[in-house]
Amino acid sequence: VLVTVFTIGHTLSLWAASAGVIRISASWIEFLIPITILLTALHVLYWNNTIVTKSSAPFTLLSVFFGIIHGLGFSNYFSMVFADQGIGLPLLYFTLGIEAAQILAVITVIFLNTLLSHLGVSMRDRLLVGSSIIIGILVPILISSSSSL
């Protein structure tokens, strides 16, 4: 569900930006994209055990908001690639491709998680190592993108 609402937010903002309805500085979006990923990794590290369900309204709204930010990140590229065409059909194909890629990513994470679980790696260790790797990758990206603000 959260992957789908992320894609809905992604698609809506991609359409709005490609159609010229909204304009936001690309440098801000390039800064906010890793912030959304960092917040997700921090959530997994620190607050994961305190939340009962991931399908609650706050998680749904946050997923839509994160999707909007990521969709705005693709809007410049999308507009360049499909500049001579209408955006309707290409946007549909692009959205279906994004949804399929996200589902594939989720399946991959589930597979790796299951494999590591069967190998005896605790959930705590899997979350700690995975989130730490993501944070380690994002910190230099954030530093780099913040210099262009």
Side-chain angles (χ1 to χ4, degrees), residues 8-72:
I8 290 169
H10 189 274
T11 302
L12 291 175
S13 64
L14 183 57
W15 170 82
S18 298
V21 174
I22 58 173
R23 299 243 184 258
I24 296 179
S25 165
S27 59
W28 272 104
I29 295 303
E30 294 303 319
F31 177 72
L32 289 173
I33 287 172
I35 290 286
T36 63
I37 299 168
L38 177 66
L39 289 173
T40 303
L42 289 172
H43 165 75
V44 168
L45 276 178
Y46 296 107
W47 299 287
N48 197 39
N49 295 330
T50 62
I51 305 299
V52 175
T53 177
K54 300 285 188 255
S55 60
S56 64
F59 282 108
T60 302
L61 291 174
L62 207 53
S63 294
V64 170
F65 177 72
F66 285 5
I68 289 169
I69 297 298
H70 288 248
L72 290 171

